[in-house]
Amino acid sequence: MGWVAMPALVAASSNAGAFGFLALATAGPEEAIEMIDETLSLTDKPFGVNFHMFQPGADQIVQAVLDRKIKAVSYSRSPIPDYIKAFKEQGIVCMPTVGALKHAVKAEQLGADVLVIQGSEGGGHTGSTPTTLLLSSVLENVQIPVVAAGGFRDGFGLAASLAWGASGIAMGTRFMMTQESPVPAKTKEAYISAGVEDIKVTKKFDGLPHRLIFNDYIQKIDRSNPFSLFVMSVTSAWKYKQLTKASYGDIMRSFFAMLKGDDLTISQSIMSANSPAIIQKAMVDGSPNEGAMPSGQVAGILTNLPTCNELIQQIMREFNVAATNFKKIEGEKS
Ligand SMILES: Cc1cc2nc3c(=O)[nH]c(=O)nc-3n(C[C@H](O)[C@H](O)[C@H](O)COP(=O)(O)O)c2cc1C
């Protein structure tokens, strides 16, 4: 979770007994390496890193992960076999996230040790299959352990996933809504006050299915026709060029990279090149209504901002209640 799964949150979640993943997909290589070192200085517990194998400076990030013997790596689109081989040779757990059965099968063939399957309820870029359906079909078709993600917030969900055959759960939105999360208070309020039905998927934000809170800004993008999307994308390119001090060259380079990589329209490519700055508006600057807030639907049923430690303790209490319920059912049967 770019600008969210920062060293303080990752260390706090690992220190509390979870396994944090550091968000490096939105960082350049030097910043990424500083973030890894900062996390190492804040926890002696294991954690992993999430990055795109195609991002600029990926070679340096891979080398830093190998040198520092980071325990696990998370990735999704366009995995690079040589990187996976290097990680596996050092016993670093390769744990990609997939949102569709065919990607799960392919990821296993490419050497994944564990899969995170993210159902459509999940936040950020997401697929169209609900978590329970994706989990069932992936469990039937792969041999490696599967971790369920998308829509989880508590120990009952953990117990249900284990009963289903998963090896654990992964939660993004729930950890983003904790005390240690760096998201500004005003933006956290916007997440807490959103309803499940306010958190929907649009492809118009950056060309890929993206689950976000439909604030005024995203609603406008989602309703736009090709002409108004083009006007909006050029206006926002100009606005964000000023904001980020990016050169015309930087914007054009991202723009052509987007056009080449996916089947996007020109307007979507411009929006996509600007999307990190638009997300930062909400997640870093604390202006939720002017920016974009990637979110799982689970935000619609979150009501509090616990510390990571309180969250893990609560999850374990709930898990134990669920386990007792299972035992009662077992007892009644015998
Ligand atoms: C704000 C936000 C940013 C995210 N960014 C990334 C990312 O950069 N890379 C990634 O693999 N997943 C990303 N995700 C997905 C999460 O890692 C996780 O799979 C997802 O949140 C699980 O669903 P949940 O939100 O229902 O817990 C993001 C999710 C959110 C909410």
Side-chain angles (χ1 to χ4, degrees):
M1 298 187 286
W3 306 288
V4 179
M6 298 296 278
L9 177 56
V10 173
S13 54
S14 284
N15 285 336
F19 189 98
F21 273 95
L22 190 61
L24 303 182
T26 46
E30 277 115 47
E31 190 191 352
I33 293 166
E34 276 170 29
M35 285 166 67
I36 295 175
D37 288 338
E38 190 182 341
T39 313
L40 284 167
S41 74
L42 295 173
T43 184
D44 55 6
K45 299 284 188 299
F47 66 91
V49 304
N50 170 269
F51 72 117
H52 291 307
M53 292 190 176
F54 56 82
Q55 77 188 65
D59 265 350
Q60 287 152 269
I61 296 175
V62 169
Q63 197 54 52
V65 168
L66 294 170
D67 291 345
R68 289 158 180 77
K69 302 186 171 31
I70 300 302
K71 293 284 182 275
V73 288
S74 146
Y75 48 92
S76 49
R77 282 178 293 147
S78 313
I80 295 180
D82 282 350
Y83 289 159
I84 295 175
K85 189 163 167 266
F87 290 138
K88 286 174 76 84
E89 275 169 10
Q90 284 222 8
I92 295 171
V93 177
C94 291
M95 201 168 163
T97 298
V98 295
L101 174 61
K102 65 175 182 191
H103 296 148
V105 171
K106 182 90 191 151
E108 182 181 43
Q109 284 165 359
L110 283 169
D113 299 299
V114 179
L115 284 179
V116 176
I117 61 102
Q118 176 172 325
S120 54
E121 300 92 316
H125 292 126
T126 204
S128 55
T129 313
T131 302
T132 48
L133 307 187
L134 186 59
L135 182 57
S136 296
S137 62
V138 171
L139 283 169
E140 247 170 37
N141 285 284
V142 303
Q143 307 304 317
I144 51 179
V146 176
V147 170
F152 293 104
R153 64 161 189 184
D154 55 33
F156 300 111
L158 171 61
S161 300
L162 297 190
W164 214 282
S167 300
I169 56 171
M171 292 182 285
T173 304
R174 177 64 278 191
F175 276 93
M176 177 168 65
M177 292 294 105
T178 57
Q179 291 295 321
E180 291 93 340
S181 153
V183 172
K186 229 174 138 196
T187 303
K188 282 183 184 167
E189 272 169 39
Y191 274 94
I192 294 287
S193 53
V196 171
E197 66 287 355
D198 302 324
I199 305 166
K200 297 187 279 197
V201 175
T202 182
K203 269 180 89 171
K204 286 191 180 161
F205 176 54
D206 61 9
L208 294 170
H210 206 140
R211 189 175 286 289
L212 311 116
I213 297 183
F214 267 46
N215 59 4
D216 292 346
Y217 182 74
I218 296 295
Q219 281 184 50
K220 209 162 124 194
I221 290 174
D222 190 58
R223 278 198 307 263
S224 60
N225 58 37
F227 177 71
S228 60
L229 187 64
F230 181 71
V231 172
M232 211 183 301
S233 58
V234 171
T235 315
S236 92
W238 173 249
K239 225 162 65 194
Y240 290 108
K241 181 185 173 304
Q242 313 281 87
L243 189 84
T244 58
K245 318 246 178 320
S247 67
Y248 284 111
D250 291 336
I251 291 197
M252 290 318 281
R253 259 191 299 281
S254 318
F255 166 67
F256 283 116
M258 307 281 161
L259 261 187
K260 230 168 92 186
D262 288 291
D263 183 21
L264 303 182
T265 65
I266 288 187
S267 310
Q268 278 173 338
S269 296
I270 304 176
M271 289 302 289
S272 185
N274 295 330
S275 66
I278 303 174
I279 294 174
Q280 270 181 297
K281 260 273 178 237
M283 310 307 266
V284 179
D285 305 348
S287 302
N289 295 322
E290 292 160 42
M293 290 176 279
S295 177
Q297 284 181 294
V298 73
I301 54 166
L302 296 182
T303 52
N304 62 352
L305 292 168
T307 63
C308 288
N309 204 37
E310 287 165 349
L311 176 59
I312 295 292
Q313 297 304 319
Q314 176 77 17
I315 288 173
M316 290 320 295
R317 276 194 299 277
E318 291 158 346
F319 179 82
N320 287 330
V321 171
T324 309
N325 288 343
F326 283 142
K327 278 188 207 132
K328 263 196 230 151
I329 296 168
E330 199 53 38
E332 280 161 19
K333 274 203 314 197
S334 54

